[in-house]
Amino acid sequence: MKQFTSNPFYKFILFPIGQMLVFILGASLALSLFIILLAFLFRSNVTDFDLVERTLLILPQVLINGITIGFVYATIALGYTMVYGVLEFINFSHSEIFMVGGIVGVELMAYFDHTGALQTMNQYVVIGLAILLGMVISGSLAVTIERIAYKPLRGAPRLVPLISAIGMSFFLQDAVRLILSLTTGEFNVILPNFGTFDEFLILAVPGIENPLRFQIKSILLVGVTVIMLVGLNYLVNGTKVGKAIRAVAQDRPSASLMGINVNLIISITFLIGGALGGAAGVLFAIKATRLDPFVGFFPGLKAFTAAVLGGIGNLTGALLGGLILGLLESFGASYLSIFTNGAFGAEYKDILAFAILIIVLIIRPSGLLGQTVAQKA
Amino acid sequence: MGKLLELTNVHSYYGHIHALKGISLHVDEGEIVTLIGSNGAGKSTTLRTISGMIHAREGKVILGGTNITQHEAHVIVGMGAGHVPEGRGIFPKLTVQENLDMGAYTINDPKLIKERMELVFELFPRLKERILQYGGTLSGGEQQMLAIGRGLMLNPRILMLDEPSMGLAPVLVDVIFDTIKKLNEQGTTILLVEQNALMALSIAHRGYVLQTGEIVLTDDAEKLKKNEMVQKSYLGIE
C-alpha cells in the first residue's frame, strides 16, 4: 500500500482527480437527495404539475451548471486561500486581478477578430493563448500589487493591509475603466463570436428521458480548471518550491532560518494565485461573453465565500467550498421559483446560497475542512 | 583558533525598545560559548541579531571575516550560521522527513541530503522511527531533537541553540546536552543560550552573563560557576 501511495502517478494525478470526483459526487448527491425529499414533501401543495417529476427532469442540467460555475469559484478561491495561508491576510484586490485577466483575454480575442485571424485559427489555440496571456498579466499584476501595496505594510496591524487591498481594488477598477475608455471608448468588452462553444454535446443516457446536454464551453471550462488544479496540487505537494510555500505558511521566521527567501516565496504565492485568478477570468469571460471593469466584484466575493466555507488557508477546502457554492447557486436559480410557485425567482439564489453559508459557519466557524486556531498553534 | 563570530558594540531594538545596549562578544572556532541571564536580558535577541531575524542599528556582526550585520536571514544561514530558535519552530504540518528536507533547503544534491539525514538519525534514532509523522504530533523532546537535527542538515560552522532544555523532562535534558557536547567534539562550534545556567556552564568553555541588554561579566565557564554573583543570581546558591 505504501509503495502504491508514494507512486507519483497516484499521488499527483489519480489522487487529486479522485478527490475532485468524490467532492462532486458527494455534494451533488447530498443536494439532489435533499431537493427530491423536498419535492415529495411539497408535492400535494402544487396542483398544476407534478413537482417530483419536474424536479427530476431538470436535475441533471442543474447539476452540470452548478459544477461548471463551482469550478470557476474554486479556481478564484484558491488565490484567496493561498495568500491567506501564507500571510494570514485577505487579498481583496484578487477579484480585480480576476477581472483584469478576463478583460485581457477577451481583448486578445477581439484583436485576433479585428485582424481577421480569428476565423482561420483553431478555436482551442485561441482560447489557450487567451488563457496564457490572462495568466501572465494577472500573475505579474498580483506580484506588483504585493510589492507596492502590501509588502511595505507587513509589520503593520492587520487592518492596515486589508484597507490597502480594498483601496487597490477600487484603484484597479477605475484604472481599467480609464484605460478602456481611452483606448476603445467603451466600458464593456464583448467576446467576439467564434468557434463552436455555444453548441451542445448531447449524451443520451438509457433510463433518463431527456438526453444530457453539455455545452461545449462548460466542458472546456471544467477541463481547463481540472488541469490547473492537478498542476497546482503537484506544484504545492511535489516540488521544492511547494514545500517552501507550505513551510512559510506554517512558520515564517523558521522558514527564513532554513535559508528560504521568504519574500521570494511570498511573491511566488501571489504569482500562482494571480495566474489562477487570471485563467479563471478568461474562462468566466467565455461563459459570460460580456465583461466590464466591475465584473469581478460578485464572482470575487463568492469565491472568497467559497474559501471561507471550505476553511480558509486550506487548498482542498477552496475546491470543496467552490463546488458547494456553485451547486447551491444553481439549485437556487432553478428550483426557487418552482418550489415557491413563482413567489421567489432565480434572482434570490444568492440569498439561499449565503443563508446556507451562514448556517455552516455557525456550526463550523473554521469552515468545512478548516482547523480551529487552537489546533493550528 | 580564529574568531569565527564576533559582535562589536551591537545595539538592537524592537520598535522603540532598546533591547541590546552595546553587546560585544566573540566565539572562537571549536568552542562552546554560553550566554546566561534572566528573562528579558537579551539572550534570544542576541541570537536573533546574529542570524539576521532582526538587524542591529549600531555595531557590527562578523561571521568568518564577513560583515553580516545587514544581511537577510536566509543569506546568513547559507554562510554557515545555523539557528535553532526558542520554542523549536518546527513545521507542525510537515513530516519529520520534510522538516529535515527544509533544513537542507539550500542544498541541491539529493545524495548529500540523504547522507546528512543519516547522520541526524544516527544522533537521534528516535527521529527515524517517526520519519513519516507530522512534526506537530511529536513529543516536546522529539521536537527539540528534530529542531536540532534540522539545524545540522546544513552542517553549519556555528550552531546557535536557544533554550534547548525548555519544557523538557530532566532525563531528556541530559540527552540533549550530551548531544551538544558530542557535536562540539566532532567539530561544530556552539553558541548556547540557556536558562539552566548550571547545565550550560558545565559543558561550555566560556560564558557571558547578560543583564538588561548588556554584558556584565565574562569568563571561563569553570570560573563563572564559582563566581559569587553568578552563584547567587543564576545558580540558586546562597
Side-chain angles (χ1 to χ4, degrees):
Chain A
M1 186 65 199
K2 202 190 130 196
Q3 232 171 357
F4 179 60
T5 50
S6 59
N7 178 337
F9 176 72
Y10 168 84
K11 203 170 164 191
F12 301 123
I13 309 273
L14 281 185
F15 177 74
I17 291 182
Q19 195 175 43
M20 278 179 224
L21 279 179
V22 169
F23 285 170
I24 291 172
L25 289 179
S28 304
L29 206 64
L31 284 171
S32 303
L33 287 177
F34 180 70
I35 202 80
I36 292 169
L37 186 70
L38 277 186
F40 271 108
L41 286 178
F42 289 99
R43 193 178 206 173
S44 54
N45 295 11
V46 186
T47 46
D48 39 349
F49 56 86
D50 185 356
L51 192 58
V52 176
E53 206 172 279
R54 176 74 75 90
T55 303
L56 288 174
L57 188 70
I58 59 172
L59 187 59
Q61 206 53 52
V62 173
L63 289 174
I64 291 168
N65 291 346
I67 290 163
T68 313
I69 193 72
F71 268 109
V72 175
Y73 289 157
T75 313
I76 312 170
L78 283 167
Y80 283 105
T81 222
M82 281 188 80
V83 167
Y84 185 86
V86 170
L87 289 179
E88 297 206 350
F89 147 76
I90 307 291
N91 180 12
F92 271 116
S93 70
H94 191 61
S95 52
E96 271 52 56
I97 290 166
F98 160 81
M99 173 272 291
V100 168
I103 287 189
V104 166
V106 174
E107 286 290 343
L108 180 76
M109 290 187 257
Y111 171 76
F112 284 146
D113 192 30
H114 187 67
T115 57
L118 191 62
Q119 303 304 331
T120 58
M121 288 167 83
N122 180 317
Q123 54 177 345
Y124 296 106
V125 173
V126 175
I127 298 286
L129 286 176
I131 290 175
L132 215 59
L133 186 72
M135 287 175 89
V136 169
I137 299 283
S138 290
S140 2
L141 181 66
V143 172
T144 315
I145 290 175
E146 195 269 331
R147 278 289 149 95
I148 295 172
Y150 307 149
K151 195 177 165 211
L153 301 171
R154 208 169 284 156
R158 278 187 176 198
L159 211 52
V160 178
L162 197 71
I163 299 300
S164 177
I166 293 172
M168 209 62 205
S169 169
F170 284 119
F171 172 80
L172 284 175
Q173 285 178 0
D174 281 321
V176 171
R177 193 175 66 158
L178 179 72
I179 294 168
L180 282 178
S181 68
L182 286 179
T183 51
T184 62
E186 178 77 60
F187 298 156
N188 292 316
V189 293
I190 296 165
L191 189 75
N193 209 347
F194 73 103
T196 54
F197 295 117
D198 291 329
E199 288 167 18
F200 285 88
L201 201 76
I202 295 172
L203 189 69
V205 182
I208 297 180
E209 213 174 307
N210 277 27
L212 294 179
R213 289 152 54 86
F214 297 96
Q215 205 173 11
I216 290 182
K217 57 169 87 163
S218 301
I219 298 174
L220 176 86
L221 205 149
V222 173
V224 172
T225 45
V226 167
I227 291 169
M228 285 196 303
L229 296 180
V230 170
L232 180 72
N233 177 63
Y234 172 72
L235 189 75
V236 172
N237 293 315
T239 65
K240 198 170 175 179
V241 170
K243 222 181 278 177
I245 290 177
R246 286 187 289 150
V248 172
Q250 288 172 36
D251 193 329
R252 212 189 307 165
S254 276
S256 71
L257 290 180
M258 301 295 108
I260 297 172
N261 185 343
V262 172
N263 284 329
L264 182 69
I265 293 296
I266 289 174
S267 289
I268 291 175
T269 307
F270 271 86
L271 180 74
I272 297 169
L276 286 173
V282 179
L283 292 169
F284 179 82
I286 294 167
K287 198 167 167 56
T289 68
R290 186 190 187 91
L291 298 182
D292 62 58
F294 309 101
V295 79
F297 182 73
F298 268 107
L301 193 65
K302 281 184 188 155
F304 170 57
T305 308
V308 174
L309 181 66
I312 192 138
N314 182 321
L315 298 186
T316 318
L319 176 65
L320 180 63
L323 283 170
I324 289 181
L325 200 70
L327 281 167
L328 278 175
E329 207 181 289
S330 171
F331 272 77
S334 307
Y335 287 121
L336 266 176
S337 79
I338 300 179
F339 274 77
T340 58
N341 238 336
F344 292 98
E347 64 272 22
Y348 288 92
K349 62 179 183 183
D350 292 342
I351 293 187
L352 180 78
F354 283 95
I356 288 174
L357 168 85
I358 291 168
I359 293 168
V360 169
L361 289 184
I362 288 171
I363 300 167
R364 274 192 71 89
S366 50
L368 291 169
L369 298 182
Q371 290 173 321
T372 57
V373 176
Q375 271 174 329
K376 207 179 170 186
Chain B
M1 295 256 186
K3 281 179 188 172
L4 182 56
L5 178 76
E6 188 174 18
L7 276 67
T8 321
N9 191 29
V10 165
H11 291 257
S12 285
Y13 293 75
Y14 289 113
H16 295 293
I17 298 163
H18 196 168
L20 297 186
K21 300 165 186 162
I23 298 278
S24 298
L25 60 84
H26 67 96
V27 181
D28 291 341
E29 230 154 302
E31 268 190 320
I32 301 182
V33 172
T34 181
L35 306 180
I36 56 179
S38 52
N39 282 332
K43 309 184 299 286
S44 295
T45 310
T46 307
L47 293 196
R48 292 163 65 87
T49 306
I50 297 168
S51 64
M53 297 177 84
I54 54 175
H55 293 297
R57 282 202 203 160
E58 255 180 77
K60 262 196 274 186
V61 183
I62 289 172
L63 175 69
T66 314
N67 187 344
I68 59 164
T69 318
Q70 297 303 325
H71 281 29
E72 296 288 333
H74 63 96
V75 178
I76 294 174
V77 180
M79 295 175 63
H83 182 178
V84 179
E86 193 179 3
R88 300 159 197 144
I90 59 156
F91 302 112
K93 296 212 70 189
L94 295 184
T95 63
V96 168
Q97 186 169 13
E98 288 174 318
N99 264 283
L100 293 174
D101 276 342
M102 278 292 123
Y105 184 76
T106 51
I107 303 180
N108 285 320
D109 176 6
K111 229 179 89 196
L112 186 61
I113 295 178
K114 217 168 162 186
E115 263 176 49
R116 295 266 170 83
M117 212 179 274
E118 283 308 317
L119 287 177
V120 170
F121 289 147
E122 232 168 77
L123 214 53
F124 301 113
R126 195 95 69 92
L127 291 181
K128 193 166 186 176
E129 297 162 22
R130 306 260 187 275
I131 187 160
L132 290 176
Q133 232 172 286
Y134 279 133
T137 65
L138 300 180
S139 73
E142 289 162 350
Q143 289 191 6
Q144 188 63 56
M145 294 175 192
L146 180 57
I148 296 176
R150 196 180 57 177
L152 290 171
M153 288 298 286
L154 281 181
N155 193 19
R157 299 163 74 183
I158 179 166
L159 186 66
M160 299 186 282
L161 299 160
D162 198 346
E163 304 275 6
S165 75
M166 194 166 66
L168 298 189
V171 55
L172 276 172
V173 175
D174 288 342
V175 171
I176 298 288
F177 273 84
D178 283 347
T179 311
I180 295 170
K181 222 172 153 185
K182 203 158 121 195
L183 284 172
N184 180 251
E185 280 157 12
Q186 290 167 2
T188 310
T189 308
I190 308 271
L191 178 56
L192 174 68
V193 159
E194 251 308 330
Q195 288 266 350
N196 189 339
L198 186 62
M199 276 301 253
L201 288 174
S202 65
I203 64 165
H205 301 110
R206 289 190 299 117
Y208 292 88
V209 180
L210 267 76
Q211 243 170 39
T212 57
E214 283 170 293
I215 288 172
V216 290
L217 191 63
T218 172
D219 212 333
D220 288 344
E222 281 307 311
K223 288 182 189 154
L224 280 180
K225 248 201 236 178
K226 292 181 190 123
N227 181 294
E228 203 177 315
M229 189 272 271
V230 173
Q231 285 192 342
K232 210 169 153 187
S233 307
Y234 305 110
L235 301 180
I237 303 167
E238 289 293 329

